[in-house]
Amino acid sequence: NFIIFKLENDKSNSILTTDLSHEKIMFILGNECCGVRDDLNINGINNLYINTAIQADSLNVGSCSTIACFERFRQLQLRTN
């Protein structure tokens, strides 16, 4: 019963406007130059985009995971306060 998000360069689903406060969430991260493997493009997996101040084609995968986990933590804190 996880909500699955894959971090992609698809601006349709911003991390800033997506609810990440569900109880069970899974993040899928791919290669920095190629992204998530094509065989993971299946129904039930939601794209998630990290907004940047500059027009970047890719971000470091470690940075992406840190940003995604921090945003989830931030939303969970807001929900409990």
Side-chain angles (χ1 to χ4, degrees), residues 27-49:
F27 294 117
I28 298 175
L29 294 94
N31 182 293
E32 292 166 9
C33 70
C34 302
V36 176
R37 294 185 341 224
D38 287 338
D39 61 343
L40 290 175
N41 292 326
I42 57 176
N43 290 338
I45 297 180
N46 306 290
N47 286 342
L48 191 60
Y49 174 76

Side-chain angles (χ1 to χ4, degrees), residues 6-35:
K6 63 178 181 164
L7 279 78
E8 284 284 353
N9 198 10
D10 174 3
K11 297 179 180 167
S12 65
N13 201 22
S14 168
I15 195 169
L16 300 175
T17 58
T18 301
D19 182 7
L20 301 176
S21 65
H22 302 283
E23 184 177 332
K24 294 181 179 182
I25 285 184
M26 181 184 300
F27 294 117
I28 298 175
L29 294 94
N31 182 293
E32 292 166 9
C33 70
C34 302

Side-chain angles (χ1 to χ4, degrees), residues 7 15 27 29-30 32 50-52 58-71:
L7 279 78
I15 195 169
F27 294 117
L29 294 94
E32 292 166 9
I50 296 176
N51 304 67
T52 59
S58 69
L59 294 173
N60 174 278
V61 70
S63 298
C64 288
S65 62
T66 301
I67 292 167
C69 290
F70 175 81
E71 180 59 19

